[in-house]
Amino acid sequence: MFSEANVELLLGIVKNDLASALWQTVYMTFLPTILAFVIGLPLGILLVTGEEGGIRPLPKPLMKILNVVINLLRSVPFLILLVVVLPISRFVVGTTVGTPAIIIPLAIAAFPFIARLVETSIREVDQGVVEAAQAMGASPFQIVWKVLIPEAKPALISNFTVALITIFGYGAMAGIVGGGGIGAIAINYGYYRRRALVLYCAVIVLILLVQLFQSVGNTVTRRSDKRIR
């Protein structure tokens, strides 16, 4: 594993490809997560506020369709969804290879997951606080914006971290179909070329990035939680 050829290959990757791969990994982790959160946040709130007994009930058929669509998208394995959605990437960005092409499949795979995480976070809010806001005449929008989201903020940040790490894992898997980043190095240089040293080093980098994301997420969550101040 530590032969001269393997070490030279690893050093060449570190010198020529590592910085670009790190940027691609961060880019195709944060951008899809943000896009998915933009879609998933209102959907998750809607799943709570629009149900029967919620602050703004919606028709039951509409809520049922919404739940079915979210469950269907969540049930599709990522690699299968990736292959199915790649034609959309070709239409939007003009290619199915590289980091930009992976952004759309990652966002589509992530937003149903985030919607459920947001739903769970909102359900943790004390209903007494919501009832007090309703008693004071707050509108549904005011309750959502000034009560539900602020009260659920620590849980939302924590779940954002969970989603970020999940998408990070999806992005690493996308290297097998032409995505970029550290995952592509692990697949192309480590697995396909049978260079165990490169593969293990890429895995170590991925693990370190996950630890960094989780540590930052935990810190921000603690600082946003007014219960532990």
Side-chain angles (χ1 to χ4, degrees):
M1 184 173 71
F2 291 97
S3 66
E4 184 178 350
N6 287 343
V7 173
E8 287 182 357
L9 176 61
L10 179 61
L11 292 176
I13 292 172
V14 171
K15 180 180 179 180
N16 301 318
D17 300 324
L18 182 59
S20 175
L22 284 172
W23 163 247
Q24 290 173 354
T25 299
V26 172
Y27 170 72
M28 68 180 183
T29 298
F30 279 89
L31 182 58
T33 304
I34 293 171
L35 292 176
F37 223 83
V38 168
I39 301 173
L41 179 62
L43 283 179
I45 293 173
L46 195 63
L47 289 171
V48 178
T49 61
E51 66 183 358
E52 186 176 0
I55 61 174
R56 190 68 172 86
L58 296 175
K60 288 184 179 180
L62 177 61
M63 294 299 297
K64 187 173 183 179
I65 291 173
L66 181 61
N67 276 282
V68 168
V69 170
I70 290 175
N71 290 336
L72 283 175
L73 290 174
R74 285 191 63 200
S75 64
V76 180
F78 172 69
L79 286 178
I80 296 176
L81 182 64
L82 175 61
V83 174
V84 171
V85 175
L86 279 178
I88 300 178
S89 295
R90 182 188 295 277
F91 175 77
V92 175
V93 300
T95 182
T96 59
V97 179
T99 303
I102 304 301
I103 300 300
I104 294 176
L106 286 173
I108 292 176
F111 86 79
F113 175 61
I114 289 177
R116 289 301 184 191
L117 291 178
V118 171
E119 178 188 9
T120 302
S121 301
I122 297 299
R123 291 191 187 281
E124 292 178 358
V125 176
D126 186 358
Q127 287 302 305
V129 179
V130 177
E131 292 171 1
Q134 289 176 318
M136 290 187 291
S139 67
F141 177 80
Q142 289 174 324
I143 293 175
V144 169
W145 187 250
K146 295 184 178 181
V147 178
L148 292 179
I149 292 180
E151 289 293 322
K153 184 167 67 171
L156 289 173
I157 295 173
S158 178
N159 284 330
F160 179 87
T161 305
V162 172
L164 186 74
I165 293 173
T166 300
I167 295 173
F168 176 81
Y170 288 165
M173 287 189 288
I176 203 169
V177 292
I182 302 297
I185 290 179
I187 295 294
N188 297 331
Y189 292 99
Y191 180 72
Y192 288 151
R193 297 189 183 184
R194 300 183 183 277
R195 305 288 187 174
L197 179 61
V198 175
L199 180 60
Y200 293 154
C201 288
V203 170
I204 290 172
V205 172
L206 292 173
I207 292 173
L208 292 175
L209 286 174
V210 169
Q211 295 302 315
L212 175 62
F213 295 158
Q214 188 65 64
S215 298
V216 172
N218 290 343
T219 300
V220 176
T221 300
R222 286 194 299 268
R223 291 182 177 179
S224 66
D225 194 343
K226 61 185 179 181
R227 294 172 297 180
I228 59 177
R229 290 179 181 176

